[in-house]
Amino acid sequence: MTMPINIIRSGLARSLAASSLLLPDELEQAQTLVRQEGKPLSTVLVEQRLLTSQALARFCEQEYGLPLIDLNDFELEQVPPQYISMDLIERHHVIPIYLQGKVLYLAMADPTNVAALEDFSFRFNLVTDALLVEEDKLQQMLTRLQQGGTSGVLDLEHIEDNDIAGLELGEDPSERDDDLGRGDDDAPIVRYINKIMLDAVRKEASDLHFEPYERFYRIRFRIDGMLHEVASPPVNLATRFAARLKVMARLDIAERRLPQDGRIKLKLTRNKSVDMRVNTLPTQWGEKVVIRILDSSGARLDIDQLGYDEHQKQLYLHALRKPQGMILVTGPTGSGKTVSLYTGLSILNTVTANISTAEDPIEINLPGINQVQINPKAGLSFAHALRAFLRQDPDIIMVGEIRDLETAEIAVKAAQTGHLVLSTLHTNSATETLTRLSNMGLPAYNIASSVTLIMAQRLARKLCPHCKAREQVPEEQLLTLGFSKFQLEQGISLYKAVGCNLCTDGYKGRVGVYEVLPMNERLANLIMEGANSLALARAAEEDGLMTLRRSALEKARLGVISLAEVNRISG
């Protein structure tokens, strides 16, 4: 029988508790983060710098009598591909490192993870055994595996140093307009753009910007929500860059006066590809090209990984379990609304539920869900799709965005007639969403009777666990920033960004910060009375609403984000 994961984690915790390696409050802090972030205890201990990878490995070696091996002695190509089951690997934080006879050896940093051995044994009908490795090296190999490191040789062409240098030698693009992006002289251009795209995927960028100006050309990546300049090739290559990107996206390379939209399917390995959405825009000095990377393999649709605190998570799950009503997710562009909705849909996605979505664009493919791409040019708007859904015997409907009164009215009607409706709006807070619906023209009684939950959210950059440094802030300033005396009594571990070769400016990854507002009788009465957003906000906070600011401060208290990031996302 597979051992529950919380018991597995507590095995290592019990051994550490009986040792003198950690203080009791340090172990309790680590176990709290394990519950909140869903990470293995070994990962949390190393990320929070409570133990080094080497110290943890030596402790396990002595405690459990297992040999410690150096994972750097193994190459990814040596990992037996037939036993690469990413669901088991990511669930248990282990790697099947090699097969000897009928024994499959698993590299793991937590030797008490008996469930990993049992699950791999059951899946592949083999005897399994553990090999102890250091946590940081295990994490590095896991990251490479998730990026397709064992799937074969990259299909992208390799770029040499002399190819980059050769870009300077390109002829004036205005003299060869008819051949842009197609001639042999553009081979370095092809390789250079391929390299830029590959770098963007490796660095987990969400967008690429190719920008021409009068005296320079700039390429930028958006990483963890912030733009960073990564290259500045010669400005005389601007037209050739735009032409090559348009050829890849199957756009009209002769049309330079109007914006165009297209898609690129970039094949990274034999069995992994990334979809990219391409938009061109004529500017004063040439065409700017922006590429959105739609890498659904990188999306983690696990509610425990999104950053909700336990109470917020339960409110969301409770709303999802209701047979009807409307769940609204709000926030600016790039705040993670789509992932929150997809996570809810993945929870609801069962064989007994008929789920339909109207999206623009479809960012993540969800098998078992009927996803519809909005096409305004053909007359297929959100409102048209919603009307069609209501004739398709739906249980659950997701609308990518409520943009107008027509869409809002149909969504409310669906929520009131026995359907669960999920959608998004662009507002700054949960209570402002209620007044936005009213301003659209929805009657107050329809808003009060149909909306069951509103979530406002932002994405905050997480501090790099390898280089973050403690930040000392006077208690008086902490109270001014918004920390409560209760939080100060609980203990605060504030950190600031430093920067290292494993992160970007001291940050690595992002985490959600949420404001989760359930509809209750008091709010419904205020809506019926025509209360403004300020009155609604006061009532919600009196009823215990954790605002975006308070949620961000709590993550700063736990050392997940910095105070600078708190101020950036919450003002």
Side-chain angles (χ1 to χ4, degrees), residues 351-369:
V351 71
T352 60
N354 178 24
I355 305 175
S356 296
T357 72
E359 306 173 55
D360 185 23
I362 297 173
E363 295 191 21
I364 300 176
N365 178 39
L366 297 175
I369 293 178

Side-chain angles (χ1 to χ4, degrees), residues 249 333 365 395 422 425 569:
T333 301
N365 178 39
D395 297 301
L422 293 82
L425 278 92
I569 66 169

Side-chain angles (χ1 to χ4, degrees), residues 2-271:
T2 301
M3 188 179 296
I5 195 71
N6 60 333
I7 297 178
I8 300 167
R9 287 174 179 156
S10 66
L12 178 58
R14 283 196 299 269
S15 297
L16 289 168
S19 72
S20 58
L21 277 181
L22 292 175
L23 297 174
D25 61 336
E26 290 178 327
L27 185 56
E28 180 60 31
Q29 174 192 347
Q31 290 180 298
T32 299
L33 289 173
V34 167
R35 291 190 295 271
Q36 291 177 342
E37 300 187 8
K39 294 180 179 179
L41 178 59
S42 58
T43 302
V44 171
L45 291 172
V46 174
E47 284 186 352
Q48 297 300 313
R49 296 186 174 182
L50 297 173
L51 285 176
T52 65
S53 292
Q54 295 76 17
L56 178 62
R58 285 195 298 269
F59 170 79
C60 292
E61 182 182 24
Q62 296 171 1
E63 183 75 13
Y64 303 109
L66 287 175
L68 176 63
I69 67 166
D70 187 353
L71 204 52
N72 288 341
D73 293 338
F74 292 85
E75 296 293 335
L76 274 178
E77 288 70 20
Q78 297 174 336
V79 176
Q82 65 271 35
Y83 303 120
I84 297 298
S85 176
M86 291 308 297
D87 62 324
L88 292 182
I89 289 172
E90 292 178 347
R91 184 193 313 162
H92 294 298
H93 197 62
V94 301
I95 297 177
I97 203 66
Y98 72 93
L99 181 69
Q100 186 176 44
K102 287 287 185 180
V103 180
L104 180 64
Y105 288 90
L106 305 181
M108 55 177 59
D110 180 1
T112 66
N113 193 348
V114 180
L117 298 170
E118 293 180 348
D119 282 0
F120 272 91
S121 179
F122 180 78
R123 175 76 60 89
F124 299 111
N125 194 28
L126 290 169
V127 177
T128 53
D129 204 351
L131 290 177
L132 181 62
V133 298
E134 295 171 12
E135 167 65 30
D136 57 351
K137 295 177 181 178
L138 177 63
Q139 184 60 55
Q140 290 171 11
M141 185 171 279
L142 279 170
T143 300
R144 290 163 61 197
L145 267 178
Q146 290 166 339
Q147 294 175 346
T150 64
S151 302
V153 179
L154 288 173
D155 295 326
L156 293 176
E157 299 174 80
H158 183 64
I159 183 163
E160 304 292 345
D161 291 339
N162 59 353
D163 289 326
I164 299 176
L167 291 175
E168 296 280 3
L169 306 177
E171 57 185 304
D172 187 346
S174 63
E175 297 176 3
R176 56 190 303 274
D177 287 350
D178 295 337
D179 298 322
L180 287 178
R182 292 192 286 266
D184 293 338
D185 290 342
D186 281 320
I189 297 282
V190 172
R191 286 192 288 270
Y192 186 74
I193 288 179
N194 284 348
K195 180 184 183 297
I196 289 291
M197 288 183 169
L198 179 58
D199 285 346
V201 173
R202 284 174 172 167
K203 292 179 179 179
E204 299 179 3
S206 61
D207 301 87
L208 294 78
H209 291 241
F210 294 81
E211 303 169 305
Y213 296 94
E214 181 180 11
R215 300 185 183 279
F216 67 95
Y217 192 91
R218 181 171 66 183
I219 300 176
R220 294 190 290 176
F221 292 171
R222 188 176 294 279
I223 302 173
D224 294 334
M226 303 295 286
L227 282 168
H228 302 270
E229 184 172 339
V230 297
S232 184
V235 67
N236 68 318
L237 297 170
T239 311
R240 293 169 68 184
F241 280 142
R244 173 57 190 167
L245 290 168
K246 288 198 286 187
V247 167
M248 295 177 73
R250 299 188 177 184
L251 301 176
D252 182 359
I253 64 172
E255 177 57 74
R256 303 177 194 171
R257 299 167 299 172
L258 297 173
Q260 295 187 70
D261 291 290
R263 298 180 79 93
I264 295 173
K265 193 175 187 69
L266 188 67
K267 188 172 177 60
L268 298 177
T269 66
R270 294 189 184 97
N271 53 15

